PDB file of all heavy atoms in Angstrom:
ATOM      1  N   ASP A   1      -2.276  -1.943  16.163  1.00 47.00           N
ATOM      2  CA  ASP A   1      -2.166  -1.941  14.743  1.00 47.00           C
ATOM      3  C   ASP A   1      -1.722  -3.203  14.095  1.00 47.00           C
ATOM      4  O   ASP A   1      -1.232  -3.314  13.060  1.00 47.00           O
ATOM      5  CB  ASP A   1      -1.250  -0.796  14.278  1.00 47.00           C
ATOM      6  CG  ASP A   1      -1.677   0.593  14.830  1.00 47.00           C
ATOM      7  OD1 ASP A   1      -2.971   0.851  14.527  1.00 47.00           O
ATOM      8  OD2 ASP A   1      -0.973   1.241  15.391  1.00 47.00           O
ATOM      9  N   GLN A  37      -4.999   9.558   2.827  1.00 94.00           N
ATOM     10  CA  GLN A  37      -6.090  10.285   3.566  1.00 94.00           C
ATOM     11  C   GLN A  37      -5.909  11.646   3.706  1.00 94.00           C
ATOM     12  O   GLN A  37      -4.842  12.133   4.087  1.00 94.00           O
ATOM     13  CB  GLN A  37      -6.252   9.594   5.031  1.00 94.00           C
ATOM     14  CG  GLN A  37      -7.388  10.109   5.716  1.00 94.00           C
ATOM     15  CD  GLN A  37      -7.554   9.456   7.062  1.00 94.00           C
ATOM     16  OE1 GLN A  37      -6.589   8.891   7.650  1.00 94.00           O
ATOM     17  NE2 GLN A  37      -8.683   9.536   7.685  1.00 94.00           N
ATOM     18  N   GLY A  42     -12.503  10.494   2.829  1.00 84.00           N
ATOM     19  CA  GLY A  42     -12.185   9.069   3.187  1.00 84.00           C
ATOM     20  C   GLY A  42     -10.852   8.691   2.567  1.00 84.00           C
ATOM     21  O   GLY A  42     -10.158   9.499   2.066  1.00 84.00           O
ATOM     22  N   ALA A  97      -7.243 -10.873  -1.326  1.00 66.00           N
ATOM     23  CA  ALA A  97      -8.023  -9.814  -1.945  1.00 66.00           C
ATOM     24  C   ALA A  97      -9.524 -10.165  -2.065  1.00 66.00           C
ATOM     25  O   ALA A  97     -10.266  -9.537  -2.660  1.00 66.00           O
ATOM     26  CB  ALA A  97      -7.436  -9.393  -3.239  1.00 66.00           C
ATOM     27  N   GLY A  98      -9.811 -11.327  -1.455  1.00 72.00           N
ATOM     28  CA  GLY A  98     -11.278 -11.695  -1.421  1.00 72.00           C
ATOM     29  C   GLY A  98     -12.219 -10.755  -0.804  1.00 72.00           C
ATOM     30  O   GLY A  98     -11.816 -10.044   0.011  1.00 72.00           O
ATOM     31  N   ILE A  99     -13.412 -10.843  -1.283  1.00 70.00           N
ATOM     32  CA  ILE A  99     -14.385  -9.905  -0.923  1.00 70.00           C
ATOM     33  C   ILE A  99     -14.767  -9.936   0.605  1.00 70.00           C
ATOM     34  O   ILE A  99     -15.236  -8.941   1.164  1.00 70.00           O
ATOM     35  CB  ILE A  99     -15.688 -10.024  -1.769  1.00 70.00           C
ATOM     36  CG1 ILE A  99     -16.393  -8.690  -1.885  1.00 70.00           C
ATOM     37  CG2 ILE A  99     -16.487 -11.223  -1.330  1.00 70.00           C
ATOM     38  CD1 ILE A  99     -17.299  -8.601  -3.043  1.00 70.00           C
ATOM     39  N   TYR A 100     -14.525 -11.085   1.280  1.00 77.00           N
ATOM     40  CA  TYR A 100     -14.881 -11.223   2.630  1.00 77.00           C
ATOM     41  C   TYR A 100     -13.906 -10.688   3.572  1.00 77.00           C
ATOM     42  O   TYR A 100     -14.111 -10.489   4.805  1.00 77.00           O
ATOM     43  CB  TYR A 100     -15.138 -12.694   2.992  1.00 77.00           C
ATOM     44  CG  TYR A 100     -16.090 -13.354   2.108  1.00 77.00           C
ATOM     45  CD1 TYR A 100     -15.878 -14.643   1.494  1.00 77.00           C
ATOM     46  CD2 TYR A 100     -17.413 -12.740   1.821  1.00 77.00           C
ATOM     47  CE1 TYR A 100     -16.818 -15.245   0.689  1.00 77.00           C
ATOM     48  CE2 TYR A 100     -18.341 -13.456   0.963  1.00 77.00           C
ATOM     49  CZ  TYR A 100     -17.981 -14.649   0.464  1.00 77.00           C
ATOM     50  OH  TYR A 100     -18.857 -15.261  -0.378  1.00 77.00           O
ATOM     51  N   ASN A 101     -12.621 -10.482   3.044  1.00 82.00           N
ATOM     52  CA  ASN A 101     -11.575 -10.226   3.884  1.00 82.00           C
ATOM     53  C   ASN A 101     -11.392  -8.814   4.387  1.00 82.00           C
ATOM     54  O   ASN A 101     -11.172  -7.930   3.585  1.00 82.00           O
ATOM     55  CB  ASN A 101     -10.263 -10.680   3.244  1.00 82.00           C
ATOM     56  CG  ASN A 101     -10.170 -12.251   2.955  1.00 82.00           C
ATOM     57  OD1 ASN A 101     -10.729 -12.985   3.682  1.00 82.00           O
ATOM     58  ND2 ASN A 101      -9.619 -12.477   1.844  1.00 82.00           N
ATOM     59  N   GLU A 102     -11.451  -8.592   5.770  1.00 87.00           N
ATOM     60  CA  GLU A 102     -11.187  -7.292   6.224  1.00 87.00           C
ATOM     61  C   GLU A 102      -9.756  -6.996   6.090  1.00 87.00           C
ATOM     62  O   GLU A 102      -8.949  -7.800   6.157  1.00 87.00           O
ATOM     63  CB  GLU A 102     -11.633  -7.161   7.668  1.00 87.00           C
ATOM     64  CG  GLU A 102     -10.938  -7.921   8.681  1.00 87.00           C
ATOM     65  CD  GLU A 102     -11.628  -9.262   8.879  1.00 87.00           C
ATOM     66  OE1 GLU A 102     -12.391  -9.764   7.982  1.00 87.00           O
ATOM     67  OE2 GLU A 102     -11.591  -9.834   9.960  1.00 87.00           O
ATOM     68  N   GLN A 103      -9.453  -5.632   5.936  1.00 90.00           N
ATOM     69  CA  GLN A 103      -8.072  -5.218   5.947  1.00 90.00           C
ATOM     70  C   GLN A 103      -7.632  -4.725   7.298  1.00 90.00           C
ATOM     71  O   GLN A 103      -8.472  -4.181   8.098  1.00 90.00           O
ATOM     72  CB  GLN A 103      -7.973  -4.072   4.931  1.00 90.00           C
ATOM     73  CG  GLN A 103      -8.202  -4.592   3.456  1.00 90.00           C
ATOM     74  CD  GLN A 103      -8.280  -3.509   2.496  1.00 90.00           C
ATOM     75  OE1 GLN A 103      -7.748  -2.286   2.720  1.00 90.00           O
ATOM     76  NE2 GLN A 103      -8.612  -3.763   1.275  1.00 90.00           N
ATOM     77  N   PHE A 105      -4.736  -2.250   9.218  1.00 94.00           N
ATOM     78  CA  PHE A 105      -4.053  -1.098   8.873  1.00 94.00           C
ATOM     79  C   PHE A 105      -2.828  -0.872   9.746  1.00 94.00           C
ATOM     80  O   PHE A 105      -2.917  -1.154  10.919  1.00 94.00           O
ATOM     81  CB  PHE A 105      -4.993   0.119   8.986  1.00 94.00           C
ATOM     82  CG  PHE A 105      -5.950   0.215   7.786  1.00 94.00           C
ATOM     83  CD1 PHE A 105      -7.111  -0.533   7.790  1.00 94.00           C
ATOM     84  CD2 PHE A 105      -5.699   1.084   6.714  1.00 94.00           C
ATOM     85  CE1 PHE A 105      -7.960  -0.408   6.704  1.00 94.00           C
ATOM     86  CE2 PHE A 105      -6.590   1.204   5.720  1.00 94.00           C
ATOM     87  CZ  PHE A 105      -7.701   0.443   5.728  1.00 94.00           C
ATOM     88  N   GLY A 106      -1.744  -0.241   9.199  1.00 95.00           N
ATOM     89  CA  GLY A 106      -0.740   0.263   9.957  1.00 95.00           C
ATOM     90  C   GLY A 106      -0.940   1.567  10.578  1.00 95.00           C
ATOM     91  O   GLY A 106      -2.096   2.180  10.389  1.00 95.00           O
ATOM     92  N   ARG A 110       2.713  10.458   8.149  1.00 94.00           N
ATOM     93  CA  ARG A 110       2.251  11.821   7.784  1.00 94.00           C
ATOM     94  C   ARG A 110       3.319  12.513   6.955  1.00 94.00           C
ATOM     95  O   ARG A 110       4.458  12.802   7.639  1.00 94.00           O
ATOM     96  CB  ARG A 110       1.942  12.600   8.969  1.00 94.00           C
ATOM     97  CG  ARG A 110       1.106  13.965   8.567  1.00 94.00           C
ATOM     98  CD  ARG A 110       0.535  14.586   9.741  1.00 94.00           C
ATOM     99  NE  ARG A 110      -0.625  13.842  10.398  1.00 94.00           N
ATOM    100  CZ  ARG A 110      -1.775  13.802   9.920  1.00 94.00           C
ATOM    101  NH1 ARG A 110      -2.051  14.420   8.676  1.00 94.00           N
ATOM    102  NH2 ARG A 110      -2.691  13.050  10.479  1.00 94.00           N
TER     103      ARG A 110
ATOM    104  N   TYR B  32     -20.880  -5.894   0.262  1.00 91.00           N
ATOM    105  CA  TYR B  32     -20.145  -6.430   1.418  1.00 91.00           C
ATOM    106  C   TYR B  32     -19.726  -5.193   2.236  1.00 91.00           C
ATOM    107  O   TYR B  32     -18.992  -4.352   1.624  1.00 91.00           O
ATOM    108  CB  TYR B  32     -19.065  -7.271   0.951  1.00 91.00           C
ATOM    109  CG  TYR B  32     -19.558  -8.427   0.211  1.00 91.00           C
ATOM    110  CD1 TYR B  32     -19.710  -8.435  -1.162  1.00 91.00           C
ATOM    111  CD2 TYR B  32     -19.832  -9.660   0.871  1.00 91.00           C
ATOM    112  CE1 TYR B  32     -20.242  -9.409  -1.821  1.00 91.00           C
ATOM    113  CE2 TYR B  32     -20.354 -10.760   0.002  1.00 91.00           C
ATOM    114  CZ  TYR B  32     -20.563 -10.576  -1.220  1.00 91.00           C
ATOM    115  OH  TYR B  32     -21.081 -11.685  -1.952  1.00 91.00           O
ATOM    116  N   TYR B  36     -15.014   0.893  10.127  1.00 96.00           N
ATOM    117  CA  TYR B  36     -13.669   0.946  10.820  1.00 96.00           C
ATOM    118  C   TYR B  36     -13.732   2.173  11.720  1.00 96.00           C
ATOM    119  O   TYR B  36     -14.528   3.133  11.471  1.00 96.00           O
ATOM    120  CB  TYR B  36     -12.634   1.241   9.751  1.00 96.00           C
ATOM    121  CG  TYR B  36     -12.252  -0.044   8.920  1.00 96.00           C
ATOM    122  CD1 TYR B  36     -12.962  -0.399   7.740  1.00 96.00           C
ATOM    123  CD2 TYR B  36     -11.131  -0.788   9.300  1.00 96.00           C
ATOM    124  CE1 TYR B  36     -12.621  -1.571   7.000  1.00 96.00           C
ATOM    125  CE2 TYR B  36     -10.830  -1.922   8.580  1.00 96.00           C
ATOM    126  CZ  TYR B  36     -11.538  -2.240   7.462  1.00 96.00           C
ATOM    127  OH  TYR B  36     -11.177  -3.405   6.732  1.00 96.00           O
ATOM    128  N   GLN B  38     -11.050   5.154  13.670  1.00 94.00           N
ATOM    129  CA  GLN B  38      -9.671   5.704  13.593  1.00 94.00           C
ATOM    130  C   GLN B  38      -9.548   6.622  14.721  1.00 94.00           C
ATOM    131  O   GLN B  38     -10.284   7.643  14.807  1.00 94.00           O
ATOM    132  CB  GLN B  38      -9.434   6.453  12.241  1.00 94.00           C
ATOM    133  CG  GLN B  38      -8.088   7.005  12.151  1.00 94.00           C
ATOM    134  CD  GLN B  38      -7.788   7.682  10.834  1.00 94.00           C
ATOM    135  OE1 GLN B  38      -8.666   8.333  10.266  1.00 94.00           O
ATOM    136  NE2 GLN B  38      -6.546   7.538  10.279  1.00 94.00           N
ATOM    137  N   ASN B  41      -4.215  10.342  14.669  1.00 79.00           N
ATOM    138  CA  ASN B  41      -2.957   9.987  14.217  1.00 79.00           C
ATOM    139  C   ASN B  41      -2.645   8.510  14.179  1.00 79.00           C
ATOM    140  O   ASN B  41      -1.504   8.070  14.503  1.00 79.00           O
ATOM    141  CB  ASN B  41      -1.884  10.783  14.988  1.00 79.00           C
ATOM    142  CG  ASN B  41      -1.924  12.287  14.696  1.00 79.00           C
ATOM    143  OD1 ASN B  41      -2.055  12.660  13.612  1.00 79.00           O
ATOM    144  ND2 ASN B  41      -1.944  13.042  15.772  1.00 79.00           N
ATOM    145  N   ARG B  42      -3.620   7.717  14.075  1.00 84.00           N
ATOM    146  CA  ARG B  42      -3.422   6.275  14.088  1.00 84.00           C
ATOM    147  C   ARG B  42      -4.110   5.665  12.800  1.00 84.00           C
ATOM    148  O   ARG B  42      -4.771   6.366  12.043  1.00 84.00           O
ATOM    149  CB  ARG B  42      -4.233   5.624  15.250  1.00 84.00           C
ATOM    150  CG  ARG B  42      -3.797   6.190  16.589  1.00 84.00           C
ATOM    151  CD  ARG B  42      -2.383   5.788  16.971  1.00 84.00           C
ATOM    152  NE  ARG B  42      -2.253   4.281  16.924  1.00 84.00           N
ATOM    153  CZ  ARG B  42      -2.555   3.559  18.070  1.00 84.00           C
ATOM    154  NH1 ARG B  42      -2.997   4.144  19.188  1.00 84.00           N
ATOM    155  NH2 ARG B  42      -2.445   2.238  18.032  1.00 84.00           N
ATOM    156  N   GLY B  43      -3.746   4.368  12.575  1.00 86.00           N
ATOM    157  CA  GLY B  43      -4.418   3.704  11.492  1.00 86.00           C
ATOM    158  C   GLY B  43      -5.849   3.323  11.744  1.00 86.00           C
ATOM    159  O   GLY B  43      -6.411   3.659  12.963  1.00 86.00           O
ATOM    160  N   LEU B  44      -6.536   2.678  10.910  1.00 92.00           N
ATOM    161  CA  LEU B  44      -7.883   2.265  11.056  1.00 92.00           C
ATOM    162  C   LEU B  44      -7.958   0.958  11.742  1.00 92.00           C
ATOM    163  O   LEU B  44      -7.072   0.040  11.487  1.00 92.00           O
ATOM    164  CB  LEU B  44      -8.690   2.140   9.690  1.00 92.00           C
ATOM    165  CG  LEU B  44      -9.209   3.449   9.153  1.00 92.00           C
ATOM    166  CD1 LEU B  44      -8.095   4.430   8.819  1.00 92.00           C
ATOM    167  CD2 LEU B  44     -10.117   3.203   7.884  1.00 92.00           C
ATOM    168  N   LYS B  49     -18.208  -6.414  10.100  1.00 94.00           N
ATOM    169  CA  LYS B  49     -18.533  -6.526   8.722  1.00 94.00           C
ATOM    170  C   LYS B  49     -19.879  -7.190   8.471  1.00 94.00           C
ATOM    171  O   LYS B  49     -20.358  -7.998   9.331  1.00 94.00           O
ATOM    172  CB  LYS B  49     -17.429  -7.181   7.907  1.00 94.00           C
ATOM    173  CG  LYS B  49     -17.275  -8.625   8.340  1.00 94.00           C
ATOM    174  CD  LYS B  49     -15.987  -9.267   7.601  1.00 94.00           C
ATOM    175  CE  LYS B  49     -15.824 -10.685   8.081  1.00 94.00           C
ATOM    176  NZ  LYS B  49     -14.508 -11.260   7.354  1.00 94.00           N
ATOM    177  N   ILE B  51     -21.541  -9.717   5.621  1.00 89.00           N
ATOM    178  CA  ILE B  51     -21.333 -10.381   4.434  1.00 89.00           C
ATOM    179  C   ILE B  51     -22.630 -10.975   3.989  1.00 89.00           C
ATOM    180  O   ILE B  51     -23.068 -10.786   2.740  1.00 89.00           O
ATOM    181  CB  ILE B  51     -20.287 -11.568   4.631  1.00 89.00           C
ATOM    182  CG1 ILE B  51     -18.990 -10.987   5.125  1.00 89.00           C
ATOM    183  CG2 ILE B  51     -20.030 -12.337   3.384  1.00 89.00           C
ATOM    184  CD1 ILE B  51     -18.226  -9.932   4.203  1.00 89.00           C
ATOM    185  N   PHE B  90     -15.401   5.252   9.840  1.00 96.00           N
ATOM    186  CA  PHE B  90     -15.508   5.036   8.396  1.00 96.00           C
ATOM    187  C   PHE B  90     -16.376   3.819   8.054  1.00 96.00           C
ATOM    188  O   PHE B  90     -16.135   2.749   8.612  1.00 96.00           O
ATOM    189  CB  PHE B  90     -14.145   4.944   7.753  1.00 96.00           C
ATOM    190  CG  PHE B  90     -13.275   6.138   7.733  1.00 96.00           C
ATOM    191  CD1 PHE B  90     -12.363   6.301   8.716  1.00 96.00           C
ATOM    192  CD2 PHE B  90     -13.529   7.190   6.786  1.00 96.00           C
ATOM    193  CE1 PHE B  90     -11.648   7.560   8.776  1.00 96.00           C
ATOM    194  CE2 PHE B  90     -12.725   8.332   6.793  1.00 96.00           C
ATOM    195  CZ  PHE B  90     -11.761   8.455   7.766  1.00 96.00           C
ATOM    196  N   ARG B  94     -17.728  -3.086  -0.491  1.00 87.00           N
ATOM    197  CA  ARG B  94     -17.078  -3.908  -1.560  1.00 87.00           C
ATOM    198  C   ARG B  94     -18.149  -4.520  -2.420  1.00 87.00           C
ATOM    199  O   ARG B  94     -19.241  -4.844  -1.946  1.00 87.00           O
ATOM    200  CB  ARG B  94     -16.269  -5.131  -0.957  1.00 87.00           C
ATOM    201  CG  ARG B  94     -14.804  -4.756  -0.846  1.00 87.00           C
ATOM    202  CD  ARG B  94     -14.104  -6.053  -0.290  1.00 87.00           C
ATOM    203  NE  ARG B  94     -12.693  -5.952  -0.384  1.00 87.00           N
ATOM    204  CZ  ARG B  94     -11.820  -6.613   0.398  1.00 87.00           C
ATOM    205  NH1 ARG B  94     -12.341  -7.292   1.338  1.00 87.00           N
ATOM    206  NH2 ARG B  94     -10.581  -6.516   0.179  1.00 87.00           N
ATOM    207  N   ARG B  96     -18.277  -7.197  -5.916  1.00 71.00           N
ATOM    208  CA  ARG B  96     -17.632  -8.014  -6.863  1.00 71.00           C
ATOM    209  C   ARG B  96     -17.461  -7.350  -8.094  1.00 71.00           C
ATOM    210  O   ARG B  96     -16.494  -7.574  -8.927  1.00 71.00           O
ATOM    211  CB  ARG B  96     -18.334  -9.386  -7.012  1.00 71.00           C
ATOM    212  CG  ARG B  96     -18.169 -10.309  -5.866  1.00 71.00           C
ATOM    213  CD  ARG B  96     -18.718 -11.686  -6.178  1.00 71.00           C
ATOM    214  NE  ARG B  96     -18.917 -12.554  -5.000  1.00 71.00           N
ATOM    215  CZ  ARG B  96     -17.954 -13.135  -4.360  1.00 71.00           C
ATOM    216  NH1 ARG B  96     -16.789 -13.069  -4.780  1.00 71.00           N
ATOM    217  NH2 ARG B  96     -18.304 -13.860  -3.311  1.00 71.00           N
ATOM    218  N   GLY B 105     -16.454   5.748   2.792  1.00 94.00           N
ATOM    219  CA  GLY B 105     -17.142   7.000   2.983  1.00 94.00           C
ATOM    220  C   GLY B 105     -16.140   8.129   3.518  1.00 94.00           C
ATOM    221  O   GLY B 105     -15.047   7.777   3.807  1.00 94.00           O
TER     222      GLY B 105
END
Side-chain angles (χ1 to χ4, degrees):
Chain A
D1 297 310
Q37 184 179 19
I99 202 159
Y100 307 131
N101 298 324
E102 63 267 29
Q103 295 178 11
F105 285 80
R110 188 166 298 280
Chain B
Y32 299 87
Y36 287 85
Q38 185 180 33
N41 295 311
R42 302 291 298 277
L44 275 65
K49 65 181 176 183
I51 302 300
F90 289 98
R94 258 182 170 154
R96 289 189 192 280

